[in-house]
Amino acid sequence: MKLPEELQFIQNDRMVQKTTDARMDGCVCVVTGATSGVGYQVAKRLALGGASLILVCRNLEKAMTVKAELEKYGPAEVEVIQADFSRLEEVRQAAEVILARHPRLDVLINNTGLHNTHRVLAENGMEMVFQVNHLAAFLFTRLLLPRLIESAPARIIQVNSEGHRFGGLDLNDLDWSRRRYRGLQGYGASKTAQLLTVWELADRLKGTGVTINAIHPGNVRTMIGMNNGSLYQWYQRTFLWPILKDPVISGESVYYLAAAPEMAGVSGKFYNLTIEEKPAKHALDRDLGKRVWEISEQVTGLASHTEKMEADPNFPYLTNPEQA
Ligand SMILES: NC(=O)c1ccc[n+]([C@@H]2O[C@H](COP(=O)([O-])OP(=O)(O)OC[C@H]3O[C@@H](n4cnc5c(N)ncnc54)[C@H](OP(=O)(O)O)[C@@H]3O)[C@@H](O)[C@H]2O)c1
């Protein structure tokens, strides 16, 4: 039975997924949040595919263990950069280090993410899940963008989620001070905001050779949510983990988006693993997306940065296509 388009996501992760044997030798790939779950599997698959890796992680000890392990899989180098993405200053510092050390970047995979059952605020007053899942990835992407454009063809992959379907995005209450915080909706808000900026960035990147796509990496058994209380951890271990899949499928699917020759030039799409899918209606609202873009630029301090870029005749790419 074929489900209506808006429910197609229920079937898509059961479909046979695409894979690629394409190699990534000589490619430099940045992966955030590679110390566990999806990010670890993505980094491992990239290393097996021959890519050089820059792993941006908050826990240096875990990251060095991952680096030592991955260096066994591939011929290429693995570099670790420490950054806590709840602090936008650390996102900026990580980007600066990468720009200073790497004249070329081929793939950026923004994977870092979390799910909180309670409202937690970051140091700048933003709600933590929105800050880490959306704002930090938005800022990091934008700061690395000039180098990705110089290195084109290049690909950006946002590890998003079917959780965007939970909604929860209220631009008048991004810190949840007016509503009771609900974990799934807080998560949904962050992933919706990210999707909306994917469409915006895809438009702005037309003609640059840089693509941006979003992926739901499967419903997989990882450490997400395990930062919450012991009751939630018990629930996750007892009821969720037994039905969730091995995140090796996430690594394979993200690798497909990063490496497959047939994905060259494809941009502005949402994939459930490797199956292209229509996101929820609220995540396709382009007017809302433009407001999310502006607010994200303001909160991350990118607004003045953009003005400078727009004034530079050699870097016209971030001008709103409608104003161009
Ligand atoms: N698991 C699923 O079924 C599923 C479904 C849809 C989407 N996703 C998405 O997949 C991505 C990866 O999640 P996962 O399931 O693999 O969870 P995970 O096992 O908890 O991995 C999350 C990664 O993000 C890092 N991280 C979290 N907060 C951070 C911060 N403030 N600064 C820097 N790094 C931070 C973690 O670092 P530490 O090791 O230091 O904690 C870890 O490396 C997320 O974007 C998530 O939304 C997952």
Side-chain angles (χ1 to χ4, degrees), residues 115-146:
H115 164 236
N116 282 341
T117 53
H118 292 90
R119 176 178 181 254
V120 178
L121 297 184
E123 282 170 5
N124 63 349
M126 291 306 296
E127 190 273 317
M128 184 64 85
V129 174
F130 193 77
Q131 172 109 327
V132 174
N133 292 8
H134 167 58
L135 291 174
F138 180 79
L139 175 62
F140 195 52
T141 304
R142 291 286 304 279
L143 294 175
L144 296 183
L145 207 51

Side-chain angles (χ1 to χ4, degrees), residues 33-39 57-59 62 83-86 111-114 132-133 159-162 187 191 216-225 244:
T35 45
S36 127
V38 172
C57 305
R58 73 172 156 185
N59 184 320
K62 276 180 172 175
D84 182 337
F85 269 29
S86 70
N111 162 78
T112 296
L114 84 161
V132 174
N133 292 8
V159 178
N160 197 270
S161 175
E162 291 295 348
Y187 185 75
K191 297 295 184 181
H216 167 73
N219 301 318
V220 289
R221 200 163 41 248
T222 67
M223 293 308 287
I224 198 162
L244 293 173

